[in-house]
Amino acid sequence: MNDFYPEITPFQEFLLDVGDDHQIYVEQCGNPQGQAVLFIHGGPGGGCSQNDRRFFDPQKYHIILFDQRGCGRSKPHGSLNKNETQYLVSDIEKIRTKLEIENWHVFGGSWGSTLSLVYAQTHPDKVSSLVLRGIYLARPEDTNWTFSGGGATRLFPDYWQAYLDALPQSQTDPSIKASYAVMIGEDKEAAMKVAKAWAQWEIHCCTLIPDEAFVADKTDDESCWSLARHEAHYMVNDCFLIENQILDNCDKIAHIPTVIVHGRYDVVCPFDNAWQLHKKLPLSELKASENAGHASVEPATKHHLIAATQKMLTL
């Protein structure tokens, strides 16, 4: 069973001014002469962690990580201004240009898979390969499954009730739009309460086996604030994509070697997302983590992801 590579520290960290009053955090790790790989984190609003560096052999990879607009170590924290999918795609290109990288492998999970796919479809000549985990296709049915009383709420009604109990008593509508209004409203105490409940609901659903340490690590106040508000911001705007944009544009990336890793029991992003993407990419390889949910750190998923990054080196 593949496990994480040893812990490493960046050989460079910097803030990149991308305009619109945003500075995004960028770090470089591993071998600067190695094959370039970009890690794209989830959320939106999640930010990178130290373990995200450890999916890649540091002797063979030039590993680039960044925190998307308004989250993680990027500034200003929590900003939703000019925070849309196409701005993030533009930011990725600015990183590539800044680092003078001709093309790179791209690795993304959950929302990171969404952004990886949109980036690759926009700049297919810059992507050497794709490793995608926990596919989120950003369609209304994908959002509704988790956050609008869809199937996830039937599997975890207790966790969902905890979220509903955190909504203001005046909020009889549990919709994403209504919760978003609270989270961007003037009552900061109510906004934080809803943001924490939103994040705890989602993170509780991420692992097949309940993992309170994992939940605690992902739901401190700062993480909840950016994760919940960013996700709601994107979801009420259909992730700033046109209808079925990702699947309808798969022909643009059909030539890119792609490995799709997805937990069989993923409640946040159901397995059929991965299946539908796989059918649109005839050269893709789909690896089902048969005893895992949504999280990248679950052993089976971690195993398949590291196997995929090892395979990327031979392309």
Side-chain angles (χ1 to χ4, degrees):
M1 198 68 123
N2 291 317
D3 204 350
F4 280 136
Y5 288 97
E7 292 186 8
I8 55 175
T9 56
F11 64 78
Q12 185 187 38
E13 301 171 88
F14 61 93
L15 289 172
L16 178 63
D17 189 338
V18 293
D20 308 314
D21 296 322
H22 283 281
Q23 293 180 301
I24 58 173
Y25 170 85
V26 182
E27 68 177 42
Q28 300 186 81
C29 310
N31 179 2
Q33 305 305 316
Q35 294 189 38
V37 60
L38 178 71
F39 180 94
I40 302 183
H41 68 70
C48 292
S49 71
Q50 293 182 2
N51 279 341
D52 295 334
R53 308 164 183 156
R54 301 175 64 194
F55 289 103
F56 313 97
D57 185 337
Q59 301 300 316
K60 298 178 180 179
Y61 273 113
H62 174 191
I63 308 159
I64 301 105
L65 297 88
F66 76 107
D67 291 336
Q68 295 159 35
R69 292 187 178 203
C71 63
R73 291 148 290 186
S74 294
K75 298 180 179 180
H77 183 77
S79 174
L80 301 175
N81 178 51
K82 297 294 181 67
N83 204 323
E84 302 175 13
T85 304
Q86 291 307 319
Y87 287 112
L88 302 186
V89 169
S90 176
D91 293 346
I92 292 171
E93 268 298 275
K94 288 174 181 175
I95 295 171
R96 188 188 63 78
T97 301
K98 169 73 174 179
L99 299 181
E100 299 181 337
I101 293 170
E102 181 60 31
N103 46 52
W104 48 12
H105 305 284
V106 176
F107 178 115
S110 194
W111 162 254
S113 74
T114 317
L115 186 54
S116 296
L117 286 160
V118 176
Y119 172 75
Q121 290 172 353
T122 307
H123 300 283
D125 59 322
K126 304 304 180 186
V127 178
S128 303
S129 73
L130 288 164
V131 172
L132 306 171
R133 188 268 311 165
I135 305 302
Y136 174 58
L137 296 174
R139 302 165 300 175
E141 58 262 43
D142 306 316
T143 298
N144 293 340
W145 167 268
T146 309
F147 282 101
S148 291
T153 67
R154 298 182 65 183
L155 293 171
F156 292 122
D158 46 348
Y159 297 152
W160 181 246
Q161 187 63 53
Y163 167 71
L164 295 178
D165 290 345
L167 301 179
Q169 291 185 353
S170 60
Q171 184 180 333
T172 58
D173 176 11
S175 69
I176 296 169
K177 186 176 181 179
S179 293
Y180 180 55
V182 175
M183 288 191 282
I184 62 172
E186 295 297 322
D187 187 339
K188 298 305 180 187
E189 183 177 347
M192 178 56 83
K193 185 177 181 181
V194 172
K196 284 188 71 70
W198 175 296
Q200 288 174 348
W201 152 248
E202 179 179 352
I203 301 303
H204 267 113
C205 295
C206 276
T207 56
L208 177 61
I209 305 301
D211 188 339
E212 290 302 324
F214 176 80
V215 174
D217 182 59
K218 300 292 185 182
T219 54
D220 61 88
D221 285 358
E222 189 172 273
S223 298
C224 290
W225 184 249
S226 61
L227 180 71
R229 293 171 77 252
H230 278 65
E231 286 189 341
H233 170 71
Y234 274 76
M235 289 176 181
V236 298
N237 289 289
D238 296 321
C239 292
F240 303 96
L241 302 174
I242 62 175
E243 184 177 357
N244 212 40
Q245 178 173 327
I246 291 174
L247 292 179
D248 285 348
N249 285 276
C250 279
D251 60 301
K252 297 177 180 178
I253 58 171
H255 64 287
I256 298 176
T258 301
V259 177
I260 303 166
V261 178
H262 205 107
R264 176 72 73 182
Y265 302 104
D266 189 336
V267 173
V268 178
C269 298
F271 189 80
D272 70 331
N273 284 320
W275 181 251
Q276 290 181 58
L277 179 65
H278 174 54
K279 290 197 297 181
K280 285 285 188 176
L281 297 174
L283 299 182
S284 66
E285 183 179 358
L286 174 59
K287 294 291 187 179
S289 300
E290 296 292 356
N291 54 350
H294 185 65
S296 64
V297 296
E298 292 175 282
T301 296
K302 186 194 307 181
H303 167 77
H304 288 308
L305 289 172
I306 292 171
T309 66
Q310 293 168 348
K311 182 176 181 179
M312 290 161 68
L313 290 167
T314 66
L315 298 176

